[in-house]
Amino acid sequence: MRAGSGLGALRRLLKTQPDVFRVPTEADASGKLTPAEVYSWIRCYLISHPHLDHLSGLVLSAGSTKSASTPVYGTQHTLEAISDIFSGKIWPALASWTEEPGKPLRLARLSPDDGYTPIVGSLSVRTMVVSHGPSSDTTATSNPPYESSAFFLRHDPSAREFLFFGDVEPDTLSSNPQNRDVWRTAAPKIPDVLSALFIECSWPEDRPDELLYGHLSPTHLVEELTSLAREVVESRARSRASSDEDSGQSTDSERQHTRRSKRRRRSDSDIRDVDVRGALAGLRVYIIHCKDDLHETYDRPIQEVIAGQVRTLVNDRGLGAEIIAVEQGMLISV
Ligand SMILES: [Zn+2]
Ligand SMILES: [Zn+2]
């Protein structure tokens, strides 16, 4: 559940789908679940960046839940901003950097690229920083992008993962493109270890680049997925080359060639012609964070419109990924 969704969203959901959170084996299947009860099940929060739409539920409900010291995981940048909110000026001081009696929230720092950190039960997370548009004055000469995060979430016993992006801008428009590093990290895991990607596509196709405000539109998302597909093709070629080498069946000249290509860092122009068709087969891409204030323009929910546009572009390129529009209350197995 997004920490931006609060008790109000839960109340609406339980009205239309009273059994949505019910697990089939649950002993007491007769009683009605309340939004507060469901909210109390949250054992930790994982926050990609501190924009209000990602925090409002967490902030507003912090004082009304019975939980104590629930960890709020995020990077230093995210946690400092959250700490400002709970400074006592605009909201009571309900969060602490250490475990403190009476504080419902404990701020727990994640270090990007520090491997996997256990967060709750058998789940671990690996954090990578991504860019989310200019942070302030777009006319300033030095204006580093606003920081957001991508999370690799791993179920430790099975070693299966999924990849979840916070809000993110396209590498092609960023002054600090960082998505490609995430794609390079994800590529060797697709699709056996990692078969589900959650990524935003805030805007529909007709949104001009200058009005994206650090978000993706279908064309840009499909450029990003193509970048991932290239990394997948390259990673498979590399692992084929090294297994040929290991099997000892390659000739001397083949081995030399492999070593040469390993040494050579491919430039963008080199890999533009890589055949990416089918490279993302077995990957499900869940489209999140669609801006729903535009829904009056369309006769269908905006997430279906946007997912449809992404699907068409993905199919045109033959990438092979399945595109799914995420809806509130949807049951997702990854
Ligand atoms: Zn944001
Ligand atoms: Zn957002």
Side-chain angles (χ1 to χ4, degrees), residues 75-76 78-81 83 95-100 105-109:
T75 59
Q76 181 74 15
T78 298
L79 297 188
E80 275 175 10
S83 170
S96 162
W97 290 92
T98 54
E99 218 157 295
E100 254 185 72
L105 301 173
R106 176 174 62 84
L107 304 174
R109 202 176 293 112

Side-chain angles (χ1 to χ4, degrees), residues 6 9 15 24 33 36 40-41 46 51 76 97 132 156 159 169 200 242 281 288 292 302:
K15 224 177 214 167
L33 288 170
S40 72
W41 295 345
L46 185 58
H51 276 162
Q76 181 74 15
W97 290 92
H132 179 19
D156 296 326
E169 68 178 340
E200 72 134 284
S242 67
I288 55 175
D292 55 9
I302 188 70

Side-chain angles (χ1 to χ4, degrees), residues 302-321:
I302 188 70
Q303 66 269 23
E304 282 179 29
V305 173
I306 292 175
Q309 294 171 342
V310 174
R311 198 175 293 123
T312 302
L313 293 168
V314 163
N315 292 346
D316 285 351
R317 293 198 184 189
L319 296 180

Side-chain angles (χ1 to χ4, degrees), residues 21-73:
F21 292 106
R22 192 114 29 214
V23 278
T25 52
E26 210 173 325
D28 176 22
S30 53
K32 260 195 176 162
L33 288 170
T34 65
E37 210 173 336
V38 174
Y39 210 86
S40 72
W41 295 345
I42 295 175
R43 292 166 66 195
C44 72
Y45 300 90
L46 185 58
I47 309 293
S48 61
H49 68 297
H51 276 162
L52 266 185
D53 57 325
H54 297 256
L55 286 179
S56 56
L58 160 74
V59 172
L60 295 176
S61 63
S64 42
T65 57
K66 287 184 203 138
S67 45
S69 271
T70 306
V72 179
Y73 290 102

